[in-house]
Amino acid sequence: MEDEFNVTYVTLAGYVQVDEYRFLYFVIMLTVYILILCSNCTIVYLIWINQSLHEPMYIFIAALLINSVLLSTAIYPKHKQIISYSACLFQFHMFYSVGGSEFLLLAAMSYDRYVSICKPLQYPTIMNKTTVCIFLVLAWILPASQVAVPAALSANQKLCSFILKAIFCNNTVYKLQCVVSRAQIIHDMVILLNVALLPVLFILFTYTRIFIITYRSSREVRKKAVQTCLPHLIVLINFSCLCAYDVITVQLESDFPITVRLIMTLQIVMYHPLFNPIMYGLKMREISKHLKKLFCPAKMI
């Protein structure tokens, strides 16, 4: 590693006994990655080919599942535990861009459910194709453009360490830098507010309104609200907990044993990208119906 030639490599040291279990890690990760691709792409394909699923709610679900594929492809641990610093920053950018997109997409889905349940007569006018396209573009462009700033700032920082206590490049890259500037910290707090905290508060507000209105409505309306809103809330809670861990781990790194850090990070890499297609595939009745037609056509006759 010669800083003077700007050729910098980072060692990913987040694995437990990597030399002994290297092949096992690789096989497990590859298997899960294939499952992630197959499960997410299957539901996206069903939404694409079935005209009855060409509604805003299902379009947002498809975007969320595409996010899972992008996230897994960008950050999935490789067989070698060495990565160039530039590639590390690219992983950092993709991880937080896609993570921010997930929060914004969940916020768009909550607004869609709010309009559908609380303002059904205005739904076709409000949630038209233009509105859906604007939400999708903002959900992908806004986080990517904001996260590009700390990634660019990190590229020009002097490094005092080349060992990253993680299995991919998340916010622990700041531990490699000799000094983390105040500008970086402030900008990261602004990003956290814009693409995570504000969307979560908006989601909680819309679902509170939904539950208040449906509580006063008929049993059928309450049942519809639970069927469509519960999967979104479960995904939100699951993803928020994982993101909360990722945010605080850089501050409490020394207090987390390496085994605990590995298990928690694997939740982000393996569990969450599989959780979304399972949740939406099983809990969303229309998607579940088309899945049964795809895999059990004889039983549907």
Side-chain angles (χ1 to χ4, degrees):
M1 298 152 187
E2 302 178 28
D3 287 344
E4 55 188 2
F5 295 108
N6 201 27
V7 178
T8 307
Y9 292 90
V10 174
T11 300
L12 302 173
Y15 289 97
V16 177
Q17 296 180 319
V18 65
D19 292 330
E20 184 176 351
Y21 299 114
R22 184 187 301 273
F23 182 73
L24 179 62
Y25 281 134
F26 178 73
V27 171
I28 292 174
M29 296 295 182
L30 179 62
T31 302
V32 175
Y33 178 61
I34 292 172
L35 287 174
I36 289 170
L37 287 180
C38 293
S39 58
N40 284 278
C41 291
T42 297
I43 296 181
V44 171
Y45 172 73
L46 286 176
I47 293 172
W48 180 44
I49 65 171
N50 289 286
Q51 192 69 32
S52 62
L53 298 180
H54 291 184
E55 297 179 8
M57 177 176 65
Y58 300 112
I59 293 172
F60 290 136
I61 289 174
L64 208 62
L65 300 181
I66 291 172
N67 260 16
S68 294
V69 173
L70 291 174
L71 181 69
S72 299
T73 303
I75 71 170
Y76 231 73
K78 308 300 186 292
H79 189 48
K80 294 182 179 180
Q81 277 69 55
I82 298 177
I83 184 172
S84 69
Y85 187 56
S86 58
C88 186
L89 291 178
F90 176 75
Q91 276 193 345
F92 170 89
H93 179 264
M94 286 297 298
F95 178 65
Y96 291 107
S97 296
V98 174
S101 296
E102 185 133 356
F103 279 116
L104 292 175
L105 287 170
L106 288 170
M109 291 162 75
S110 72
Y111 180 71
D112 173 73
R113 292 301 84 206
Y114 169 75
V115 177
S116 174
I117 295 171
C118 302
K119 300 180 180 181
L121 297 179
Q122 297 173 265
Y123 182 80
T125 304
I126 297 174
M127 294 304 297
N128 52 43
K129 289 183 179 180
T130 302
T131 304
V132 172
C133 289
I134 291 173
F135 282 162
L136 290 175
V137 170
L138 288 177
W140 277 317
I141 297 298
L142 192 62
S145 59
Q146 292 191 60
V147 177
V149 175
L153 290 173
S154 296
N156 297 320
Q157 293 294 319
K158 182 180 179 181
L159 303 184
C160 288
S161 174
F162 302 97
I163 298 178
L164 195 68
K165 294 181 180 179
I167 62 175
F168 67 91
C169 297
N170 55 3
N171 61 9
T172 52
V173 296
Y174 292 139
K175 291 291 184 179
L176 303 177
Q177 299 173 14
C178 300
V179 178
V180 180
S181 67
R182 181 174 295 180
Q184 280 181 286
I185 296 173
I186 293 174
H187 195 274
D188 286 354
M189 295 302 294
V190 172
I191 295 173
L192 182 64
L193 179 68
N194 288 342
V195 302
L197 295 180
L198 288 179
V200 168
L201 290 175
F202 177 77
I203 292 167
L204 295 177
F205 170 76
T206 54
Y207 281 129
T208 300
R209 292 290 300 161
I210 289 171
F211 291 136
I212 289 174
I213 291 173
T214 54
Y215 180 76
R216 301 169 183 168
S217 304
S218 65
R219 183 178 178 181
E220 189 64 30
V221 173
R222 290 197 298 270
K223 183 179 179 181
K224 177 186 176 183
V226 170
Q227 285 178 342
T228 58
C229 295
L230 189 60
H232 305 325
L233 280 175
I234 293 174
V235 169
L236 173 67
I237 293 170
N238 174 72
F239 189 64
S240 297
C241 290
L242 293 176
C243 289
Y245 163 79
D246 182 75
V247 170
I248 65 174
T249 187
V250 71
Q251 302 298 330
L252 303 175
E253 184 180 355
S254 59
D255 298 330
F256 279 86
I258 187 172
T259 304
V260 175
R261 289 201 304 270
L262 175 63
I263 293 172
M264 289 301 297
T265 306
L266 287 176
Q267 300 294 306
I268 302 172
V269 176
M270 299 171 64
Y271 165 71
H272 182 70
L274 281 175
F275 181 78
N276 282 356
I278 292 173
M279 178 57 60
Y280 290 120
L282 296 179
K283 294 297 183 181
M284 302 298 289
R285 186 172 59 183
E286 286 299 312
I287 295 178
S288 178
K289 181 176 71 176
H290 287 290
L291 279 173
K292 289 176 183 177
K293 285 183 180 179
L294 180 64
F295 292 107
C296 306
K299 293 183 180 180
M300 301 302 294
I301 298 176

